[in-house]
Structure formats: structure tokens, C-alpha cells
Amino acid sequence: MTAQPFTNTSQFNVMISYSHQDSELMYRIRDLLTANGFDVWVDTKLQGGSNFFKNIGSAVIGCDIFIFILSENSVTSRFCQDEVSLARISSKKILPITYCKVNDVISSMDAGLRLILSCVQWICLDPKLSDDENDRRLIKNLNDTLHSELSDDQRLANYHILFSDEDRADPEAMYRSKVLRRTKSVHIEGFWTRNFGDSTTEIKLQDVLAAIKSDYTYDYNHLNFTDPWALKALALWCFDLERSAVSITREIYDQFVFPEGKQGLETADSFWIRCKDGFSVRLSMEEVFNVHSSVRYDSIQNLKKIKNKRVLLALYKLLRDSDPNIRAVACISLALTGNTSPLSVTRVVKLLEDSDRLVRESACLALAKFKDPQTVSKLLEIWRNDVISDVRGAAMKALQAIATPEAEEGMKVLKTLQDEFNNLSLGMSDD
């Protein structure tokens, strides 16, 4: 199947992501936007195949605004989840549109979608209004979204609980309000001061996790995490800690809450807002780059186009993921970003000691892209000692790509020794 060709010729391009059960609403929105001068990309057949996935990934990365038609079907669709996650890490303006009851849609979402969609304005089409009135609202909201430029702090301030007890009776009314609900809090002091005072010593990670659950019970529960270890994994991600870490310090905490350096006072919920943003990036990256992702290939090929520093930082963290497949993909992806900073090289070099052979092979191939002379000695060690021939072959490719005198001399010496050993072995067999 060949999807509708993606072009990037007009000032504003819109991509529509939807479930095929919602085709009627999709066609209505597509025709409305086209009639109002928008250049719309949408796949109308929703079939599989490598060309389909390539077009979908390119469309997400190339669009200016990503429309997600929300329904119980779309929020549980693997393809839609992949597309929304790619839109998130590509820093696209996301505009969810639904005709369904909001509570029904939210209850079907996993934690990743709840986080991604909890900091954007939804358009809830009202069945009580005429089509013309709904259409006018939709076009106005689309134009407002296209022309809005929120700072990072403003975007983070939009995080809110998707619904609260008092909203259960009429959750639709909440989303029709122009004022986004924020996380409700009775706290005045910042998270660390509130729970650990002025302590600058190491605090056990389990105590930090317990404090998070205590302070933000309602919000945390409504993120709908199904894995009991999810909070620890996400905390390690946010604080950029090794998997074996058991504690954190105030310095690490401040670096997370104030990534650009401490400016002003910490608000009551600065920490939790940063946590949710970090969780959102983590889950989106995992969705996009896992081996089953429908947009993984094209995402990797277009990494240079994704101008988002969070992606680079997220890839660093994925290099320490518990899943070796994700570590391997993150390693290759990092090399394809074009970033050859010392930090990138250092992070990849560490993977040469990984217990998984695919991860070690990926690290060698990534170092072939970096071409950093400082990695020659490590690569020579791998070429000489790794027990897996594919890993040794990847190390040789990296050494050939670096092509410094040290690399060439090292390869020459090792090859000479190998030839001599082979000759000795043949001589001994003749005896």
C-alpha cells in the first residue's frame, strides 16, 4: 500500500492521527481544514507495510501541528500511540479532538498518553451544538494553537490532573472550560524541604519514592501505572541515576528541578511538574524506539531533524535502560543525531563493557560514526578479546573508520600476531 504522499510546501501542515473506526469524523475534519486552506496529511487506508510506516513517521516529523482524534479505539491503538509519542518527542503542537465522553476516553488511556495529553488543550466537539458552531470552534482553536508560542515553563505549568472527584459527574464540562486545571496542592514549601528539611546528605531512594506517593497520591494514582516498579524506574530516569542507585542528594535533586541553574524559589509543585514532564519523555521515547514500534525506523533515520535537546538527553538515559534491545537502539540512534560531543562518546564507550553482545556491537558501530581517536585503545581491546565474532568485526569497522596511525598500527600488529599464531598452529598439526 502506498500512503498519500507527504509534502511540506505550505506554511502550516497538519497531520491527522486516528483509528479507522473513527473514519467518518476524520473525513469531516480533513475536509473542513482543507476548505479553510490548511495542507492536511492523512492516511486513508490504514494498512501496514514498510512504506506506510516510513510515510507516517515522515509526516509526524514534518508537520507543524499534530491532530489526534480521540476515542476509546484510538487511545488503545498501538499505531496511534506510536504516532502521538513521536509527535511528543519531536516537539510538535498536539491538538486532541473528540466527540466522545471524556471520561470514557481517559479511562482507556495508559500512563504515557495521560501524561502527553495532560498539558495540552483538548477540543471537545459538543453534540448539542450545530455542525457550523463546532466547525468554527475547531478552526479557531487550530489557528490559536498554530500561532501560540509557549515557553518551557509555561508549557510545564499546563500539566493538570485529567479529572478529579468533583469533575466525575460532568467531566466534559471540565474540558470545555478555557482554564486548564492544575495539580491541586495544599503544600507551600518545595518537595525536598517539605519532606527532608535542609538535609544535604544522601536520602534513601525508597524514602523519596514513599514521599512522592504520599504527597501526590491522587495525581499519581490517576496516571494509571500498571507496573509496581514503574515509579522507581521513572525516578532513576528523572534523576539520571544508574540502575543500582539507592540514594540521591540535594545537589542531584536541584539539578533536576532547576535544569538551567537555580533561578528564583522552588514552588510547591515544581518537583512534581518536572517529574511528570520527565515521565512523559521517558515513556514517549520507549514507545518510539522499542523494537515493536511502527515509527522506529523512520524516527532513527530522521533524528537530525528532531531539534529537541530532550531527545539527546533521553537517548543518554536510554543507554542505561534495563532492556538490552532499547540500549542497542538508543546507541545507534545517538550516533545518527550527529552529536559527537565528549559526553556522547563517553556514554557509548561504557557500553563496550555491556553484558549483551548486540549492545556491544551497536556501541562499536556508533563509535565508527563518531570517529573519535580517543576510543582507539578500547576498540583494539574489543577487537582482540571479545568472544563474539560479530562484535570483533564491528570493532574492526570502527578502527578502519577512525583510520588514525595508532588504529592502523594496532590493527597491523594484531593481524601479524594472528597470522603467526595460525602458522604455528598449522606447523604443530603437521608434526
Side-chain angles (χ1 to χ4, degrees):
M1 186 280 290
T2 302
Q4 177 182 340
F6 174 67
T7 58
N8 192 23
T9 56
S10 68
Q11 184 179 5
F12 294 125
N13 290 286
V14 179
M15 179 191 168
I16 301 177
S17 176
Y18 70 107
S19 167
H20 68 87
Q21 288 97 330
D22 305 315
S23 294
E24 183 177 349
L25 179 56
M26 179 278 292
Y27 280 117
R28 176 187 160 187
I29 293 174
R30 184 199 65 178
D31 294 344
L32 173 66
L33 299 184
T34 301
N36 280 270
F38 292 97
D39 182 17
V40 181
W41 191 99
V42 62
D43 176 71
T44 56
K45 297 182 180 179
L46 290 178
Q47 299 176 12
S50 59
N51 287 336
F52 163 76
F53 293 143
K54 184 175 181 180
N55 284 328
I56 288 289
S58 295
V60 175
I61 294 170
C63 73
D64 292 298
I65 189 165
F66 178 91
I67 288 180
F68 183 31
I69 297 180
L70 286 171
S71 70
E72 293 176 75
N73 296 310
S74 66
V75 298
T76 55
S77 163
R78 178 172 66 87
F79 301 114
C80 290
Q81 289 177 340
D82 290 347
E83 293 158 17
V84 175
S85 296
L86 180 55
R88 169 68 177 91
I89 69 170
S90 303
S91 299
K92 299 303 173 184
K93 296 175 178 179
I94 300 174
L95 187 63
I97 301 174
T98 185
Y99 239 134
C100 304
K101 290 186 176 180
V102 173
N103 201 41
D104 292 340
V105 175
I106 292 173
S107 62
S108 301
M109 290 182 186
D110 64 10
L113 267 183
R114 290 183 182 217
L115 283 166
I116 293 171
L117 301 181
S118 67
C119 65
V120 296
Q121 180 68 58
W122 295 22
I123 298 178
C124 293
L125 303 177
D126 191 341
K128 297 177 182 178
L129 298 177
S130 68
D131 287 348
D132 286 344
E133 290 175 299
N134 275 318
D135 289 350
R136 281 195 293 272
R137 291 175 59 233
L138 194 158
I139 293 298
K140 181 182 184 303
N141 276 276
L142 182 60
N143 277 311
D144 289 346
T145 301
L146 282 169
H147 294 93
S148 66
E149 294 296 337
L150 296 180
S151 68
D152 193 50
D153 287 340
Q154 289 172 323
R155 181 184 60 79
L156 291 180
N158 280 342
Y159 272 113
H160 56 286
I161 301 173
L162 282 179
F163 59 97
S164 59
D165 289 330
E166 68 191 61
D167 296 314
R168 288 177 184 274
D170 187 14
E172 290 90 339
M174 171 184 171
Y175 281 97
R176 294 194 188 108
S177 171
K178 293 183 179 179
V179 180
L180 292 174
R181 289 292 183 93
R182 306 305 204 267
T183 300
K184 296 178 181 178
S185 175
V186 297
H187 308 306
I188 298 175
E189 298 172 310
F191 173 81
W192 186 279
T193 303
R194 192 163 65 238
N195 289 282
F196 310 114
D198 296 326
S199 175
T200 57
T201 60
E202 292 188 349
I203 302 296
K204 291 182 179 179
L205 188 59
Q206 64 185 34
D207 293 338
V208 175
L209 301 182
I212 291 174
K213 285 188 175 181
S214 174
D215 279 11
Y216 304 106
T217 300
Y218 184 81
D219 204 355
Y220 177 78
N221 288 342
H222 280 80
L223 290 178
N224 202 27
F225 288 118
T226 56
D227 183 351
W229 297 102
L231 182 58
K232 180 178 180 180
L234 293 169
L236 292 174
W237 166 274
C238 287
F239 293 123
D240 198 15
L241 301 173
E242 299 285 350
R243 295 194 297 274
S244 58
V246 295
S247 62
I248 70 169
T249 63
R250 179 62 189 260
E251 181 181 4
I252 292 174
Y253 173 85
D254 285 342
Q255 287 173 353
F256 170 62
V257 176
F258 305 102
E260 305 298 332
K262 197 162 187 177
Q263 298 176 353
L265 297 175
E266 178 184 355
T267 64
D269 293 315
S270 297
F271 167 70
W272 184 235
I273 289 171
R274 286 285 175 189
C275 280
K276 290 195 288 186
D277 189 54
F279 295 173
S280 172
V281 173
R282 169 68 177 83
L283 295 171
S284 296
M285 291 289 289
E286 186 175 82
E287 190 74 38
V288 169
F289 290 104
N290 79 72
V291 294
H292 303 294
S293 171
S294 61
V295 296
R296 179 172 63 93
Y297 174 80
D298 206 48
S299 300
I300 292 173
Q301 295 301 313
N302 286 279
L303 275 169
K304 288 186 178 180
K305 297 179 182 178
I306 302 177
K307 304 297 183 182
N308 186 345
K309 66 179 180 180
R310 281 190 176 84
V311 172
L312 182 63
L313 297 177
L315 286 173
Y316 287 157
K317 295 177 181 181
L318 287 181
L319 295 178
R320 295 204 299 260
D321 195 90
S322 59
D323 185 340
N325 291 323
I326 290 181
R327 295 200 298 276
V329 171
C331 190
I332 296 298
S333 301
L334 180 59
L336 292 175
T337 63
N339 183 286
T340 59
S341 68
L343 181 57
S344 293
V345 175
T346 299
R347 298 259 180 158
V348 171
V349 167
K350 287 184 179 180
L351 295 183
L352 293 176
E353 301 174 2
D354 198 280
S355 60
D356 186 88
R357 69 101 173 169
L358 283 176
V359 176
R360 297 198 304 277
E361 185 177 350
S362 298
C364 290
L365 295 175
L367 293 174
K369 294 284 289 184
F370 291 152
K371 299 181 180 179
D372 189 325
Q374 301 300 317
T375 63
V376 168
S377 60
K378 281 286 188 181
L379 288 166
L380 285 170
E381 183 181 339
I382 292 294
W383 188 41
R384 177 171 185 158
N385 298 319
D386 202 283
V387 297
I388 305 297
S389 61
D390 287 345
V391 177
R392 295 196 302 273
M396 182 177 71
K397 290 179 181 178
L399 289 166
Q400 290 171 337
I402 296 172
T404 62
E406 181 188 359
E408 292 173 354
E409 180 63 23
M411 292 177 68
K412 181 180 178 180
V413 170
L414 288 178
K415 190 176 186 309
T416 299
L417 288 173
Q418 186 64 55
D419 290 342
E420 291 180 0
F421 291 152
N422 290 337
N423 291 332
L424 285 172
S425 297
L426 289 173
M428 292 173 67
S429 63
D430 290 339
D431 292 341

